[in-house]
Amino acid sequence: MAASELHIALAGNPNCGKTTLFNQITGQNGYVGNWPGVTVEKKEAKLSADKSVIITDLPGIYSLSPYSPEERVSRDYLMSGEPDVVIQVIDATNLERNLYLALQVIETGLPVVCALNMADLVEKSGDRIDIRALSDRLGCPVVMISALKNTGLDELINIAKREAASKDGVPEHKFDSAIEDVLDHIEAQLPGSVPQNKRRYYAVKLFERDTDAAKLVNLTKDAADRVEQLIAMCEQDCDDDAESIITGERYAVIAHIMDECVKKAPAKMSTSEKIDRIVTNRILGLPIFLVVMFAVYYLAISTFGTAMTDWVNDNLFGEGFDFLGTACPSIPMVVEGWLTSLGASDLVISLVNDGIVAGVGAVLGFIPQMFVLFILLSFLEDCGYMARVAFVMDRVFRRFGLSGKSFIPMLVSTGCGVPGVLATKTIENEKDRRMTVMTTTFIPCGAKLPIIALLMGALVGDAEATWIAPLFYFLGVIAVIVSGIMLKKTKLFAGRPTPFVMELPSYHFPSLKSWWLHIWERVSAYIKKAFTIIFASTIVVWFLSNFGSYDGAFGFLPAMEGIPEEFTDYSVLAMLSSAIGWIFAPLGFESWQATAMSITGLVAKENVVATASSLLHIADGTETDPNLWSAFAAMFPSMGAIAAFGAFNLLCAPCFAAMGTIRAQMNSGKWTAIALGYECAFAWVVGLIINQLYNLIALGQFGIWTVVAFAFIALILFQLFRPMPKGAWGEDEGVAPAAA
Ligand code: GDP
Ligand code: MG
């Protein structure tokens, strides 16, 4: 029943623990991330203990003056009249910074309860916060909690319910008396329709010249002029602009509160700070990150993961295996025996075994590697390391006029490009946001892992531990940086980089639950895809590669009279793929099979491997070749072509799902086309360069495409190293980004 429902909103800075609190009290599994922008939309759920209470988790923000989309989402919801009470979540280890938003939320006149989160860390640090005094100063109840350790939450909810009944909040803090005077005068100009408890809030907003608020209160022309006059006078008196005056006043109030309510423990460097001295060090930060990511991909793809994946592919889907001295058949053997006993025709057996089992099985075979990869990536994310990386990368990016904000979507993209593209919402500068949408899917997502593993096997022989896998990850990072620098120098994307602020949470061992959730979220999505979209794709690929025309007749190729052993060459798939194979000829992989893999890869990246496996099985008849790597490698003329194929497939337009998300984020057909076009073109050029350089250096071949490749290299180098064009930074012409 709507009437008896109670709405509680959770507001707070990014990273203060809102989502952790939300998950604790609602029993949900929302994404707890270590950087701003993870919650970009608000999220609702019922309180576990009382289903009539609805909790809304809002995006983390730093202020109520909307500069970015998530600030708007949060503010609009707070002012919508829906929340009965606001729980202002405050990271108590960062009280001073968090109070800036808290004061503004209290000023809204809504009933507010401040939840001082991370009580566990405060206790450890030895700082003392006087809750009573703080509550008096702020004019609202204050409760110490730990969302992570689940302490103080019942009390918090009880107080929030009680406050909701009280209807109005009464802000206690006051600015300098001269400013308060002006605010009183502005309040007097507000129409009577603005309710008592919101009048001060709107007075402050009008003072800040907030246009949204001005529209909402709908001042008469006279009143608006009078307000502007008051502001202008005050600005002259204070010799500052109105917005800065209010900011200054808020900080003055905060300084006062901190003085009165907080006793800092004698400063000693915490473990986190000690680690950060090294990890975010100007010189060491980047190399450490490279080593860490190298280790992650090396462990996941080249060592542990491979051993398990090989076992699965060779035994479950290959020749069968030996279990405690008993010979066990592999899955295709079991399936074949079973279908034969049912009297299934060769066509059905081939469809099931060579199409579905081979395709879906090849994808499922990579699950062990996925697990290892996401155990490691989720750990780095949950323990707080990735937040440091964003900070380190901001310094690197800024050099080139890019924003560190662009790096967060990329971190998210290591899981999946879809949330990665969504995370670009936090970038308020439209040009930067578009550029990030265009480049973020260069980072290899989970679905590209099988491609990397397959390439590695094909390039160096199976199960050989090598450094190739991490290299493909860095290829993605380099593609992002190179593209960023080149695009930034074009008219379409020129401009100052978005400022990037973020709090660094203290390092901590991840809660096993949230760690597992992160891993399972990715792995289960992968499994689900294998049984849906990949399953469907393998059926289509099987039909397209088994049917075709030979000798003037169309039909099931293997059953045709006198057809050569390589019957798939006459298939519909071969015909379709050969028609566009010429595009890839300069990259060295014009064979129709490679083209077919690339095209099906656009549906879902796992398809590259699924199609490869399926085509190889079909070509071999029902005999299974356990060694996917070498059979795959045999489809290419050279190592250079394999590497070019890999580069192209890792960098070209992402899967359908990610393309759809790009379309939604760009909100424009033209920009979607630019984004996908750029990705494909860039991928093609990289593939061309790799193949042509290999041909030249390793094989001594030189031709027209070698010249084209060098022309592209020259063009890229020129765009990378030419100075930033004049006027690219907006107002002050030709000046590099200030205080980068
Ligand atoms: P949000 O951005 O406000 O939604 O913050 P999250 O809920 O995503 O949490 C940010 C980080 O703070 C995560 O790594 C949490 O595990 C951690 N965290 C949240 N609450 C607590 C707490 O009470 N104590 C400690 N030590 N860590 C916490
Ligand atoms: Mg959150």
Side-chain angles (χ1 to χ4, degrees):
M1 282 250 312
S4 62
E5 273 176 358
L6 184 75
H7 289 264
I8 300 182
L10 302 184
N13 290 38
N15 254 334
C16 65
K18 292 176 302 301
T19 305
T20 311
L21 174 63
F22 179 81
N23 289 350
Q24 281 286 6
I25 58 181
T26 61
Q28 295 270 310
N29 295 328
Y31 195 93
V32 178
N34 248 324
W35 43 71
V38 166
T39 316
V40 276
E41 293 292 353
K42 62 182 176 2
K43 213 170 133 190
E44 279 191 354
K46 296 197 164 108
L47 188 69
S48 313
D50 178 352
K51 299 287 181 208
S52 69
V53 178
I54 297 174
I55 312 282
T56 306
D57 183 21
L58 294 173
I61 52 176
Y62 292 104
S63 117
L64 283 187
S65 320
Y67 294 117
S68 64
E70 69 266 36
E71 283 174 346
R72 206 166 284 272
V73 168
S74 295
R75 185 174 89 166
D76 289 352
Y77 180 71
L78 289 178
M79 299 315 287
S80 69
E82 184 163 282
D84 298 297
V85 55
V86 182
I87 291 182
Q88 174 65 28
V89 184
I90 290 175
D91 172 358
T93 61
N94 238 319
L95 188 57
E96 194 163 354
R97 279 248 222 150
N98 280 237
L99 280 176
Y100 188 71
L101 174 69
L103 287 184
Q104 297 181 53
V105 172
I106 292 170
E107 283 168 21
T108 61
L110 291 163
V112 176
V113 181
C114 287
L116 293 193
N117 190 25
M118 318 241 179
D120 52 322
L121 295 180
V122 174
E123 195 167 321
K124 239 190 240 162
S125 74
D127 290 355
R128 293 284 259 296
I129 303 176
D130 184 342
I131 301 292
R132 278 287 270 293
L134 188 59
S135 167
D136 288 346
R137 280 269 146 216
L138 295 174
C140 71
V142 176
V143 188
M144 220 42 204
I145 64 163
S146 169
L148 192 69
K149 304 267 145 75
N150 198 358
T151 55
L153 304 191
D154 293 339
E155 188 195 357
L156 174 67
I157 297 296
N158 286 335
I159 294 179
K161 283 183 178 171
R162 195 188 69 206
E163 282 302 297
S166 79
K167 280 289 167 254
D168 298 352
V170 188
E172 280 294 326
H173 62 275
K174 288 268 180 285
F175 299 151
D176 183 75
S177 61
I179 310 294
E180 287 295 336
D181 262 1
V182 179
L183 291 175
D184 283 346
H185 280 106
I186 296 179
E187 251 186 84
Q189 300 297 327
L190 292 172
S193 56
V194 179
Q196 201 55 41
N197 66 329
K198 300 248 159 62
R199 294 183 80 84
R200 185 190 152 85
Y201 169 77
Y202 278 112
V204 174
K205 284 288 141 197
L206 287 181
F207 189 89
E208 289 178 314
R209 294 209 181 84
D210 184 315
T211 44
D212 289 11
K215 260 185 233 135
L216 276 173
V217 295
N218 210 356
L219 288 185
T220 61
K221 173 91 178 60
D222 274 358
D225 290 347
R226 177 81 189 114
V227 167
E228 182 49 43
Q229 214 177 359
L230 285 163
I231 303 173
M233 259 160 54
C234 185
E235 283 182 320
Q236 206 157 36
D237 288 348
C238 303
D239 194 21
D240 208 346
D241 66 286
E243 229 185 307
S244 312
I245 294 175
I246 294 291
T247 308
E249 287 301 322
R250 289 212 179 96
Y251 277 120
V253 170
I254 292 170
H256 203 74
I257 294 178
M258 292 299 290
D259 248 12
E260 239 170 58
C261 309
V262 181
K263 269 215 182 60
K264 286 247 171 232
K268 64 172 195 298
M269 220 200 281
S270 68
T271 320
S272 273
E273 282 164 332
K274 279 184 210 150
I275 300 176
D276 278 346
R277 287 271 294 264
I278 302 168
V279 165
T280 63
N281 180 285
R282 271 186 182 278
I283 297 158
L284 293 176
L286 191 61
I288 290 177
F289 168 60
L290 297 182
V291 170
V292 168
M293 289 318 276
F294 185 92
V296 166
Y297 279 83
Y298 186 80
L299 289 176
I301 302 184
S302 305
T303 57
F304 291 152
T306 311
M308 288 188 277
T309 295
D310 279 351
W311 188 88
V312 171
N313 278 334
D314 291 353
N315 298 292
L316 290 189
F317 295 101
E319 312 267 283
F321 57 99
D322 186 81
F323 182 70
L324 299 177
T326 326
C328 300
S330 68
I331 293 174
M333 294 175 182
V334 175
V335 171
E336 187 174 348
W338 183 64
L339 287 173
T340 313
S341 72
L342 287 178
S345 66
D346 281 354
L347 186 148
V348 173
I349 294 177
S350 166
L351 168 63
V352 174
N353 256 347
D354 303 332
I356 300 168
V357 175
V360 174
V363 171
L364 291 180
F366 289 99
I367 289 175
Q369 293 187 337
M370 295 283 286
F371 260 111
V372 178
L373 180 68
F374 286 112
I375 286 172
L376 298 172
L377 284 181
S378 303
F379 177 81
L380 290 177
E381 191 184 317
D382 283 4
C383 76
Y385 177 68
M386 285 303 194
R388 271 73 186 178
V389 173
F391 183 77
V392 169
M393 288 309 277
D394 182 50
R395 257 187 336 230
V396 178
F397 275 27
R398 209 151 269 280
R399 283 247 180 100
F400 307 118
L402 308 177
S403 165
K405 275 207 167 181
S406 305
F407 192 69
I408 287 160
M410 290 165 205
L411 284 179
V412 179
S413 292
T414 53
C416 172
V418 170
V421 172
L422 281 177
T424 58
K425 279 195 188 173
T426 54
I427 303 170
E428 50 265 39
N429 177 318
E430 191 174 41
K431 288 176 171 176
D432 282 1
R433 190 171 62 236
R434 284 193 183 130
M435 194 174 80
T436 310
V437 170
M438 274 171 76
T439 53
T440 191
T441 54
F442 283 153
I443 300 292
C445 64
K448 288 179 186 167
L449 176 141
I451 306 182
I452 297 179
L454 183 65
L455 288 167
M456 194 193 76
L459 286 172
V460 296
D462 73 333
E464 194 115 336
T466 76
W467 40 271
I468 298 242
L471 217 59
F472 280 108
Y473 172 77
F474 293 127
L475 176 72
V477 179
I478 293 167
V480 170
I481 295 181
V482 167
S483 296
I485 299 171
M486 293 198 304
L487 293 174
K488 203 70 191 169
K489 289 180 187 168
T490 65
K491 272 238 160 52
L492 284 179
F493 299 99
R496 270 176 199 290
T498 317
F500 176 68
V501 236
M502 77 176 285
E503 246 103 291
L504 294 181
S506 316
Y507 288 100
H508 62 102
F509 197 83
S511 88
L512 289 180
K513 189 177 152 209
S514 98
W515 191 6
W516 168 248
L517 279 174
H518 278 180
I519 299 167
W520 184 239
E521 182 185 30
R522 297 266 55 92
V523 175
S524 64
Y526 183 83
I527 296 174
K528 211 167 107 192
K529 255 162 84 193
F531 284 107
T532 50
I533 195 158
I534 307 301
F535 178 85
S537 303
T538 54
I539 295 178
V540 173
V541 168
W542 185 87
F543 272 100
L544 291 180
S545 51
N546 275 279
F547 283 81
S549 55
Y550 176 70
D551 220 3
F554 184 89
F556 184 48
L557 292 171
M560 285 197 180
E561 201 75 35
I563 191 149
E565 208 174 318
E566 301 277 297
F567 66 85
T568 48
D569 286 347
Y570 301 91
S571 66
V572 178
L573 190 64
M575 258 149 44
L576 292 175
S577 301
S578 318
I580 54 167
W582 55 270
I583 298 176
F584 301 117
L587 281 63
F589 57 96
E590 84 265 50
S591 80
W592 67 265
Q593 288 93 334
T595 309
M597 286 180 238
S598 306
I599 301 295
T600 53
L602 293 178
V603 176
K605 289 293 163 191
E606 294 93 331
N607 263 338
V608 173
V609 173
T611 304
S613 168
S614 189
L615 287 179
L616 292 168
H617 281 236
I618 294 167
D620 271 357
T622 45
E623 240 164 74
T624 46
D625 181 350
N627 197 338
L628 189 55
W629 323 129
S630 55
F632 172 80
M635 290 198 280
F636 294 87
S638 72
M639 299 274 249
I642 298 177
F645 174 82
F648 179 82
N649 275 289
L650 291 174
L651 298 177
C652 73
C655 64
F656 276 176
M659 289 190 219
T661 315
I662 290 177
R663 173 77 184 80
Q665 284 305 294
M666 290 291 198
N667 200 11
S668 134
K670 186 188 104 189
W671 274 102
T672 311
I674 292 178
L676 301 180
Y678 176 78
E679 289 167 350
C680 290
F682 186 80
W684 188 88
V685 169
V686 173
L688 175 78
I689 292 174
I690 292 177
N691 185 48
Q692 294 303 327
L693 285 186
Y694 181 87
N695 285 353
L696 182 68
I697 296 166
L699 310 177
Q701 294 171 357
F702 188 91
I704 179 73
W705 286 109
T706 326
V707 179
V708 176
F710 274 103
F712 274 119
I713 295 175
L715 199 69
I716 291 173
L717 289 178
F718 169 73
Q719 185 68 1
L720 284 182
F721 291 106
R722 78 181 168 123
M724 191 64 80
K726 271 206 158 106
W729 299 106
E731 59 281 25
D732 24 15
E733 304 249 304
V735 181

